[in-house]
Amino acid sequence: MKKLFVKTYGCQMNAYDSAKMADLLAPLGYAATDAPDGADMMILNTCHIREKAAEKVYSELGRLRRLKREKSDMLIAVAGCVAQAEGAEIVARAPVVDMVVGPQSYHRLPEMIARAARRQGHALETDFPALEKFDALPAPGGGGVSRFLTVQEGCDKFCTFCVVPYTRGSELSRAPEAVLREARQLVDTGARELVLLGQNVNAYDGGGWSLAKLCDALAEIEGLERIRYTTSHPRDMADDLVAAHGGNPKLMPYLHLPVQSGSDAVLEAMNRQHKADDYRRLVDRIRAARPDIAMTSDFIVGFPGESDADFEATLRLVRDIGYATAFSFKYSKRPGTPASTMRKQVAEEVKTARLEALQKLLAAQQHGFDDGQIGKVLPVLFEKPGQQPGQVMGRTPYLQPVHVLGDAGLIGAVATVRIEKRTANSLHGVLA
Ligand code: 5AD
Ligand code: SF4
């Protein structure tokens, strides 16, 4: 057996793709390992969303150059969004790289490996051959209780700060039959929860099938307990999807719905195509359909032109909505995006101060939300053994990790748990 090490950066789509690449290379005799030492093949599955994420690739490649000196037949592949955006630059800057493969071309890895092994120079595959990839990738192997399933890729929204429409291409949805087939395979191999993935997943359009209809069809699969989806755009939150949150009991009451900013001026400059109040009204409607739904979001601070008043509007929106958790980032200039050349870029110190203030508010909301579960009895889906012996770890409907004393036989089952306390990042409880 040859050893394969896949290092994954960035979003859940990349995690899904990494698993798929490992499955794809298994028939070639590669077994996935969780450490780089002694690997025969190394894949860096990269992220281009912010500058820091992209820089990590080049510093990792510097380290790999030394590893490769000791093991000269090791193959190094750069995959993911940096590969897509900077493929030619990677080949030029890092000769240690044997192949560069964009997110739409993973199914070509076996032939690329064959070429690289014959030392026919660097291989570069960064076309967008549509949905061919999914059909060419193997069926899922055995694995965890909660699994990702990509149903949609790409984005047509063109938010002015974002590279995704360029790195992942335009919106494409997989056919519902293909999604349902993969879902059944996943459930047959142990999945009890499916997380439907897409850069803009609620724009899903499977030949007339909406995401709501897809979730309803998935809910029919026996053995599947929970359905989640991520990540969504407020503009694509269709009425039937809002209604599904009330009507589909397997759809979990947890929704990642990024708003980015609470200022209308900034939302406009970002090309988000809605106002802050549209978002407030939308959340009201979602909560009317499913009163206990937990909301989460992404925020960007220091977008070009963001004033103190604009930032205050973001804090106000956060207070109005009340988030279970949220991600927040300093605006990072991305080459080729409209915002990167906007005048009135915000000073780094200002970004730092705003990020700190926002994160403080979000952390307080998160702790408040987690503390709010104490004393409640919640259905928990158990995923794996806990950190301590005799413990099992599961998740609430709101995705909070919960540790309880219990038998490993609980893994894969939903059981009710009385929540007793919160530690830094998780909840603790007893079987009820
Ligand atoms: N700078 C900072 N954050 C960004 N994001 C996307 N592009 C940028 C950028 N240029 C954030 C957004 C998005 C999340 C995945 O990453 O908040 O929702
Ligand atoms: Fe990027 Fe906007 Fe598309 Fe999300 S909706 S992937 S932030 S362009």
Side-chain angles (χ1 to χ4, degrees):
M1 264 326 226
K2 287 175 282 190
K3 280 197 204 163
L4 167 70
F5 179 64
V6 187
K7 185 159 182 173
T8 308
Y9 302 85
C11 68
Q12 290 147 329
M13 300 280 280
N14 269 7
Y16 175 90
D17 287 341
S18 289
K20 283 279 173 189
M21 285 189 272
D23 289 345
L24 182 67
L25 299 188
L28 276 69
Y30 286 96
T33 62
D34 47 15
D37 312 273
D40 298 285
M41 168 138 192
M42 182 88 90
I43 301 177
L44 304 182
N45 195 4
T46 62
C47 173
H48 202 243
I49 197 89
R50 286 169 293 275
E51 194 180 354
K52 257 196 201 140
E55 271 171 6
K56 282 186 192 154
V57 183
Y58 291 101
S59 57
E60 184 66 23
L61 286 173
R63 273 196 292 277
L64 289 183
R65 206 172 53 188
R66 287 192 293 277
L67 260 182
K68 193 156 174 163
R69 250 184 245 134
E70 286 154 29
K71 189 168 169 35
S72 62
D73 61 346
M74 178 173 70
L75 291 175
I76 298 180
V78 177
C81 295
V82 180
Q84 188 63 42
E86 304 178 7
E89 191 183 338
I90 294 169
V91 171
R93 262 178 74 176
V96 67
V97 173
D98 298 290
M99 51 201 118
V100 175
V101 56
Q104 318 300 327
S105 311
Y106 295 148
H107 55 294
R108 303 213 174 128
L109 265 172
E111 84 188 57
M112 293 175 78
I113 290 174
R115 260 187 283 153
R118 293 198 300 270
R119 292 276 170 250
Q120 293 177 334
H122 302 284
L124 178 67
E125 289 281 2
T126 51
D127 298 346
F128 285 116
L131 292 171
E132 175 191 323
K133 169 178 90 170
F134 288 107
D135 301 326
L137 291 171
V145 170
S146 176
R147 310 266 280 279
F148 296 132
L149 202 180
T150 294
V151 304
Q152 183 276 342
E153 276 197 274
C155 181
D156 296 335
K157 287 284 181 297
F158 290 94
C159 298
T160 54
F161 51 81
C162 185
V163 287
V164 167
Y166 312 97
T167 55
R168 291 275 178 166
S170 57
E171 283 174 7
L172 269 175
S173 299
R174 291 177 74 189
E177 304 77 50
V179 173
L180 289 165
R181 197 180 323 120
E182 184 167 341
R184 284 189 212 102
Q185 286 164 347
L186 286 163
V187 173
D188 287 346
T189 58
R192 294 293 169 263
E193 171 177 280
L194 294 178
V195 184
L196 310 182
L197 298 181
Q199 260 92 32
N200 213 354
V201 74
N202 60 344
Y204 178 84
D205 177 7
W209 281 54
S210 65
L211 186 64
K213 186 167 175 192
L214 185 66
C215 288
D216 286 346
L218 288 165
E220 299 288 319
I221 298 175
E222 211 172 310
L224 181 63
E225 303 278 356
R226 293 180 167 188
I227 302 167
R228 303 177 185 277
Y229 61 91
T230 197
T231 184
S232 295
H233 192 290
R235 282 285 302 252
D236 291 318
M237 212 57 215
D239 291 345
D240 66 339
L241 189 55
V242 173
H245 278 281
N248 183 338
K250 293 192 180 177
L251 198 53
M252 287 294 100
Y254 180 94
L255 180 60
H256 185 62
L257 193 62
V259 64
Q260 314 294 354
S261 168
S263 151
D264 286 344
V266 173
L267 288 170
E268 167 90 44
M270 286 176 164
N271 188 33
R272 293 290 294 178
Q273 305 170 44
H274 66 81
K275 296 195 184 314
D277 278 348
D278 297 328
Y279 183 86
R280 286 185 176 88
R281 277 195 296 269
L282 174 58
V283 173
D284 285 346
R285 285 172 46 225
I286 297 164
R287 284 182 168 151
R290 181 77 202 227
D292 69 333
I293 201 159
M295 296 299 303
T296 86
S297 178
D298 295 338
F299 293 94
I300 294 176
V301 300
F303 185 81
E306 186 188 67
S307 66
D308 285 340
D310 291 323
F311 178 63
E312 286 299 324
T314 297
L315 295 178
R316 215 156 44 235
L317 181 123
V318 170
R319 284 191 206 100
D320 288 349
I321 302 292
Y323 287 99
T325 179
F327 300 100
S328 46
F329 313 97
K330 290 185 205 175
Y331 169 69
S332 164
K333 269 193 190 178
R334 306 310 294 127
T337 58
S340 66
T341 52
M342 285 179 186
R343 285 174 296 128
K344 299 205 281 182
Q345 295 285 330
V346 173
E348 190 59 29
E349 314 84 77
V350 176
K351 287 184 194 172
T352 304
R354 287 179 188 166
L355 187 68
E356 216 170 277
L358 176 59
Q359 291 190 337
K360 201 169 148 201
L361 175 59
L362 290 169
Q365 289 194 343
Q366 179 172 345
H367 288 156
F369 181 77
D370 290 346
D371 286 344
Q373 311 305 323
I374 296 170
K376 284 193 187 160
V377 175
L378 296 174
V380 169
L381 173 59
F382 287 96
E383 289 184 2
K384 57 181 187 191
Q387 290 140 342
Q388 317 283 334
Q391 267 189 349
V392 278
M393 190 288 261
R395 287 183 191 272
T396 70
Y398 316 113
L399 220 51
Q400 297 146 304
V402 186
H403 295 272
V404 304
L405 281 177
D407 191 86
L410 280 166
I411 292 167
V414 176
T416 47
V417 170
R418 182 181 307 281
I419 307 298
E420 292 192 320
K421 66 169 184 177
R422 167 176 75 81
T423 51
N425 291 313
S426 52
L427 299 173
H428 299 257
V430 291
L431 292 169

